[in-house]
Amino acid sequence: MTQQVELGLHTFGDVTVDAAGLPVPQDQVLRDVVEQAVVADQTGVDFIGLGEHHRDDFAISSPEVILGTIAGRTSRIRLGTAVTVLSTDDPVRVFQRFSTLHALSGGRAEPIVGRGSFTESYGLFGHDMADYDTLFEEKLDLFAKLVKEERVTWSGQTRTGLKDQVVYPPLAQPMPVWVGVGGSPESVVRVVRQDLQLMLAIIGGDPKRFVPYVDLYNRAVEQMGRTARPVGVHSPGHVAATDAEAQEQAWPAYKEMYGRIGRERGWSPVTKASFLSEVNHGSSYVGSPETVAKKIAATVKALNLQRFDLKYTTGPIPHAVQMEGVRLYGEKVIPMVRDILSGR
């Protein structure tokens, strides 16, 4: 039996470099992201997700604005985030932005919400990290109600309540909502409790170590009497013509990005050996179309996924190189994955 799977792409709008090795201005990076999404649409990619950040190394801080531009340039690709940092936003405004995008795109909006793995937005928008858990728990609860109910009544500690409130524009058709989860059992159960879709962020180690989380999801669905929803995975990677070329292009950018984040967070220095370990045995999908397709198909089978999204930017990889990677993913990787899963 053929395993049905959707294949998407994610980007944070990583600030790239020009021919001289200098950082490209963020305004140009944003325009480049639109062009990458257009190529993704033309080559058969199912979904494009833009990650929200508030830093100098990632250009995207207002994903829905860019998604609106992409909607006007594309016809079929579904449009979402990776992730919307719901903890530091207002759920009503998030709903309004996405219901507007959903209307303008003909029902193609598909947000992925989460806490985010970076904390800059907390101070920027006046939130206290001490409220980290409460903020997300309450705001996700309200957002889930807004997506499912025409009139919403809600109360909590983190904002004023709503009573029999209609929020405009309403959804004219259902809108899928995913929750990005980094590997906490409590987060998996929360997704089921809110009857939303689970997106596992697997950015390191053997992806098979997440099998228990998928099993937990399925047990929670059964115990709570919910309907099983699609389960997806977000992982980094890079596609080029050959394995050697993909590694040569990806390693310097990987070293730059993870080296900086590691210094901020007190991690051990990034090494070429650790990079290659992730490529060969872990959750970094770097290589030729054949190599990446085989690895994606293996992960899809192991976790029984309905969606796999590749974060195709990891650090300052030049725009032209990213464009070629997006093209190869759509034209080569996606058909190969589907052939493998169908047994052809």
Side-chain angles (χ1 to χ4, degrees):
M1 181 181 294
T2 301
Q3 183 168 350
Q4 297 298 319
V5 62
E6 299 173 347
L7 294 146
L9 290 170
H10 291 173
T11 179
F12 298 166
D14 304 49
V15 170
T16 55
V17 291
D18 60 19
L22 299 174
V24 173
Q26 287 200 354
D27 61 342
Q28 183 60 51
V29 173
L30 295 177
R31 292 190 288 270
D32 291 344
V33 166
V34 173
E35 298 306 319
Q36 292 156 18
V38 169
V39 171
D41 179 67
Q42 293 169 344
T43 56
V45 178
D46 292 314
F47 173 84
I48 184 76
L50 310 184
E52 173 197 345
H53 293 83
H54 305 274
R55 301 164 52 91
D56 63 354
D57 48 350
F58 301 129
I60 299 171
S61 62
S62 301
E64 302 90 344
V65 176
I66 307 167
L67 291 168
T69 302
I70 294 170
R73 298 276 308 278
T74 59
S75 60
R76 46 160 301 280
I77 195 167
R78 294 200 300 284
L79 310 165
T81 45
V83 298
T84 293
V85 185
L86 190 60
S87 301
T88 56
D89 210 330
D90 183 87
V92 174
R93 292 297 286 144
V94 173
F95 171 81
Q96 290 178 317
R97 296 197 298 266
F98 274 104
S99 64
T100 300
L101 177 66
H102 206 47
L104 293 174
S105 65
R108 290 189 282 146
E110 198 167 306
I112 306 175
V113 301
R115 304 170 191 253
S117 62
F118 294 82
T119 60
E120 288 84 3
S121 64
Y122 286 82
L124 184 63
F125 299 122
H127 294 283
D128 191 336
M129 283 293 295
D131 299 325
Y132 185 82
D133 292 323
T134 303
L135 283 166
F136 188 67
E137 183 79 35
E138 288 201 352
K139 293 190 177 192
L140 182 63
D141 183 55
L142 176 52
F143 188 69
K145 286 181 179 294
L146 290 163
V147 170
K148 298 170 193 172
E149 302 173 12
E150 183 178 350
R151 294 182 174 274
V152 173
T153 297
W154 180 92
S155 63
Q157 305 173 45
T158 53
R159 56 154 290 152
T160 55
L162 301 175
K163 185 175 181 180
D164 198 31
Q165 179 71 54
V166 179
V167 176
Y168 302 101
L171 291 171
Q173 54 187 302
M175 182 177 71
V177 175
W178 300 77
V179 181
V181 171
S184 150
E186 295 80 8
S187 296
V188 172
V189 173
R190 181 190 294 114
V191 173
V192 179
R193 189 169 65 247
Q194 296 292 358
D195 198 19
L196 301 174
Q197 298 179 180
L198 175 65
M199 179 64 67
L200 293 166
I202 307 180
I203 59 173
D206 186 342
K208 295 185 185 68
R209 67 193 177 91
F210 277 74
V211 168
Y213 294 100
V214 178
D215 291 341
L216 173 61
Y217 171 83
N218 291 323
R219 291 198 308 273
V221 165
E222 183 177 355
Q223 291 171 8
M224 295 184 196
R226 299 294 195 192
T227 299
R229 306 289 182 191
V231 174
V233 158
H234 152 111
S235 287
H238 176 64
V239 188
T242 67
D243 290 349
E245 184 178 0
Q247 292 176 19
E248 181 182 349
Q249 291 172 347
W251 160 240
Y254 180 99
K255 180 181 180 182
E256 172 71 22
M257 190 188 89
Y258 281 106
R260 171 175 175 165
I261 295 171
R263 290 188 295 273
E264 292 172 357
R265 301 185 182 185
W267 296 347
S268 300
V270 179
T271 65
K272 184 73 172 289
S274 65
F275 166 73
L276 291 175
S277 178
E278 284 295 335
V279 169
N280 294 321
H281 309 292
S283 296
S284 188
Y285 296 72
V286 173
S288 68
E290 294 83 358
T291 295
V292 173
K294 287 176 183 177
K295 192 168 184 178
I296 290 174
T299 298
V300 168
K301 289 180 180 179
L303 299 181
N304 191 27
L305 302 175
Q306 290 73 51
R307 173 95 150 255
F308 181 93
D309 291 340
L310 182 79
K311 181 183 180 287
Y312 67 94
T313 53
T314 302
I317 295 176
H319 169 56
V321 177
Q322 290 185 37
M323 289 282 274
E324 178 65 5
V326 169
R327 185 188 67 78
L328 288 172
Y329 185 77
E331 293 182 353
K332 303 287 187 181
V333 174
I334 288 178
M336 287 181 189
V337 170
R338 291 186 171 139
D339 283 349
I340 294 168
L341 293 176
S342 68
R344 291 195 294 270

